[in-house]
Amino acid sequence: MTGFADRLDVFLRVVAGGSFSAAGRDMNMQASSISRQIDMLEGELGVELFYRSTRRLALTSAGETLCHRARQVLGQLEETRSIVAAMANEPQGWLMISAPVCFGQRHVVPLVPVYLERFPKVHLELSLEDRAVNPLEDGIDLAVRIGKLQDSALLVTKLATTESVVCAAPSYLQRHGVPAVPADLVHHACLTTPKPMKAGMWHFGETSSEDRLEVSGRFVCGDMDGLLASAIAGLGIIHLQTWLVAEPLRDGRLVRLFPTILPRPDGSGIYALRPPGALTMKVKGMVDLLKARMIALSE
């Protein structure tokens, strides 16, 4: 594996530099030696990785696939090395975390005392904001993101799958009755976000076209916490992701409706993103705590 990994490293440096000579300067090697390494790699894989011309190199489709996968493989190797090496050293220094406001308040802030007790030499700075920060540009060690991810140079750990459920407070159901099927919701007060956010259209089950329902109500709010608090107060019915409503469902402040209908997957997830490079123990410690909390929510 070592020789193959070395050749993958050479390949990525050629891609980054745009030429054999640039990679050679980066690695203090002759361009001819770089070329031989690429020839060997192509021979091992049985495909051409570059379109070669006198002026430039361009990746073939196989080269593009290898480039994406090689970054992941070499990143995992470096993580393994750094995790084992870090066992001899106590984590210290600053850990910079960014998370969406609502999620961070519910699921990151409660972990802070546990984390700081576990890592007494680490200082933690938590930034709660709903903009999609770029860890590479903003100096963030760990960013929590909810939704569908686009391909990037960031390393990703999936914490959970997101699903949406319909629920209401017992007080609301006592006053207005329990809807038997989703179609009954048109006769109920449904709490939604403003129309530009398309929240008046709720989806149920596994299909996308047959299980849509346009709902409405007398109260609209662009803040998830506002919707949740209003539902708990008995103002109406909500349709929110499980990470947001898991605790009030568990303690009885909310009741899930249509329990026989499986939650419709949002096609997205909850992810921990970090810059490429070594996975330090202080970062891994927070990722592990987040993963454990997400698992507990689903139980």
Side-chain angles (χ1 to χ4, degrees):
M1 178 64 183
T2 302
F4 183 69
D6 290 340
R7 285 187 283 279
L8 287 180
D9 182 46
V10 171
F11 167 72
L12 290 179
R13 290 178 188 249
V14 172
V15 173
S19 68
F20 294 152
S21 57
R25 289 191 296 271
D26 183 39
M27 303 183 73
N28 196 26
M29 294 172 60
Q30 296 293 324
S32 58
S33 298
I34 298 291
S35 180
R36 283 195 297 272
Q37 291 290 320
I38 296 300
D39 288 341
M40 291 175 63
L41 184 58
E42 290 180 327
E44 287 180 86
L45 298 174
V47 294
E48 290 188 355
L49 301 174
F50 294 100
Y51 296 113
R52 295 169 171 83
S53 70
T54 56
R55 292 187 176 182
R56 59 188 290 269
L57 291 175
L59 285 170
T60 64
S61 59
E64 291 177 352
T65 298
L66 180 64
C67 183
H68 176 72
R69 297 291 296 172
R71 286 176 178 148
Q72 293 181 329
V73 170
L74 294 182
Q76 290 170 354
L77 286 174
E78 176 60 21
E79 286 179 10
T80 301
R81 183 204 64 78
S82 63
I83 289 172
V84 175
M87 288 179 177
N89 303 308
E90 186 175 5
Q92 55 187 301
W94 282 94
L95 176 67
M96 314 295 285
I97 301 177
S98 173
V101 176
C102 193
F103 182 89
Q105 290 172 339
R106 275 174 173 73
H107 301 299
V108 181
V109 171
L111 297 177
V112 171
V114 180
Y115 180 89
L116 293 179
E117 182 177 1
R118 187 171 297 179
F119 300 101
K121 292 187 178 182
V122 175
H123 299 259
L124 193 154
E125 180 175 327
L126 174 61
S127 175
L128 299 181
E129 50 189 333
D130 289 327
R131 74 181 182 93
V133 302
N134 187 331
L136 293 171
E137 297 176 357
D138 298 329
I140 300 297
D141 298 304
L142 186 65
V144 177
R145 194 165 296 169
I146 303 172
K148 297 179 181 179
L149 294 183
Q150 297 181 348
D151 191 20
S152 73
L154 298 173
L155 299 180
V156 178
T157 299
K158 187 171 185 179
L159 302 174
T161 298
T162 58
E163 297 175 334
S164 295
V165 294
V166 181
C167 44
S171 60
Y172 174 89
L173 299 175
Q174 288 169 5
R175 293 196 310 272
H176 302 284
V178 180
V181 293
D184 292 341
L185 292 175
V186 298
H187 305 297
H188 283 266
C190 295
L191 308 177
T192 67
T193 50
K195 285 293 184 182
M197 300 174 71
K198 299 180 180 179
M201 187 70 73
W202 289 0
H203 299 260
F204 303 90
E206 297 297 329
T207 64
S208 58
S209 59
E210 297 178 359
D211 294 323
R212 293 181 187 175
L213 184 69
E214 187 168 4
V215 300
S216 63
R218 295 175 58 204
F219 179 64
V220 175
C221 181
D223 178 70
M224 296 296 104
D225 269 325
L227 288 178
L228 181 61
S230 300
I232 292 173
L235 196 59
I237 298 173
I238 52 173
H239 187 224
L240 294 176
Q241 292 183 347
T242 50
W243 64 263
L244 188 59
V245 298
E247 291 176 349
L249 283 174
R250 183 176 296 148
D251 62 28
R253 287 177 293 163
L254 291 176
V255 176
R256 180 181 167 187
L257 304 178
F258 322 124
T260 60
I261 299 178
L262 293 176
R264 179 179 181 272
D266 292 333
S268 59
I270 304 172
Y271 302 93
L273 283 67
R274 54 193 171 78
L279 177 60
T280 62
M281 289 298 293
K282 63 183 179 182
V283 173
K284 184 177 184 298
M286 180 55 75
V287 171
D288 289 345
L289 286 174
L290 285 168
K291 288 173 69 174
R293 186 173 179 88
M294 294 300 99
I295 291 172
L297 280 180
S298 63
E299 292 177 347

